[in-house]
Amino acid sequence: MRALHVGDDALLVEVCSGEEAQALHAELLRRRAEGALTVREIVPAARTVLLDGLADPARWASELTTARVPTPPSHAGELVELPVRYDGPDLAAVAERWGVTEREAARIHAGTEFTVAFCGFAPGFGYLTGLPDRYHVPRRATPRTSVHAGAVALAGPYTGVYPRSSPGGWQLIGTTDAVLWDHTRVPAALLAPGTRVRFVPVEGA
């Protein structure tokens, strides 16, 4: 691990992989819950974790850079189930890339338990990991100028759900009516880092 000072009271901790970032994030949350770490925010990303509001960032920089990356956590986070219709315009292309039928592609996706690795891009958008490497797909060569809210999509190792209409270059495989972001709800985001997610096919879809 490498720790970079950010301002007066923050550290950006770099690791080698998304799995290590998720494991470190979980470990830091555990320490904060036990009172061993006082920090305002812990924000994971693809290969980094930001600790903001540290009382003694120099001490934590020294401690983290000499520690081992923790063992990835077991699936202990909250489980959120998202109803989905596998009706996306890119489902056929994804199925062909996987070497299966569209129905089988939907079954593979729905049979996977995902974990929210981190959030970004738009309020409520979670980057979900869980698909084996052989099912990773590239972004579209030409992004769409508009992707509808609720679109379930794939890109690289991630699955995501568009919380609102926006441009996007991910492969669209389905649609959910779940509300990913609602500023009147507490918390506003349905998905948070560490949340477990399953996609449940809508009956008859």
Side-chain angles (χ1 to χ4, degrees), residues 162-189:
Y162 285 77
R164 63 186 182 193
S165 178
S166 67
W170 289 32
Q171 308 281 354
L172 308 183
I173 63 168
T175 306
T176 180
D177 294 327
V179 178
L180 278 293
W181 178 266
D182 180 354
H183 71 278
T184 66
R185 183 174 60 197
V186 180

Side-chain angles (χ1 to χ4, degrees), residues 71-92:
T71 302
S74 59
H75 297 295
E78 176 190 2
L79 176 65
V80 172
E81 293 187 339
L82 300 179
V84 58
R85 298 181 297 279
Y86 285 98
D87 57 2
D90 299 320
L91 179 61

Side-chain angles (χ1 to χ4, degrees), residues 35-195:
L37 170 63
T38 301
V39 62
R40 184 167 55 247
E41 289 190 83
I42 305 172
V43 184
R47 291 181 178 83
T48 62
V49 179
L50 176 70
L51 292 89
D52 187 29
L54 284 169
D56 190 353
R59 173 207 156 193
W60 281 103
S62 175
E63 180 170 333
L64 290 171
T65 53
T66 57
R68 288 186 176 183
V69 176
T71 302
S74 59
H75 297 295
E78 176 190 2
L79 176 65
V80 172
E81 293 187 339
L82 300 179
V84 58
R85 298 181 297 279
Y86 285 98
D87 57 2
D90 299 320
L91 179 61
V94 169
E96 182 179 6
R97 189 175 188 89
W98 289 358
V100 300
T101 64
E102 292 181 41
R103 182 182 293 274
E104 179 66 6
R107 188 196 66 76
I108 291 168
H109 190 261
T112 302
E113 182 172 291
F114 295 89
T115 301
V116 181
F118 57 97
C119 297
F121 170 63
F125 188 94
Y127 289 77
L128 281 59
T129 58
L131 281 174
D133 291 353
R134 65 183 179 278
Y135 297 130
H136 295 179
V137 298
R139 288 173 169 79
R140 288 173 51 84
T142 303
R144 293 180 170 90
T145 57
S146 180
V147 175
H148 61 84
V152 178
L154 307 178
Y158 303 114
T159 289
V161 181
Y162 285 77
R164 63 186 182 193
S165 178
S166 67
W170 289 32
Q171 308 281 354
L172 308 183
I173 63 168
T175 306
T176 180
D177 294 327
V179 178
L180 278 293
W181 178 266
D182 180 354
H183 71 278
T184 66
R185 183 174 60 197
V186 180
L190 180 62
L191 305 180
T195 302

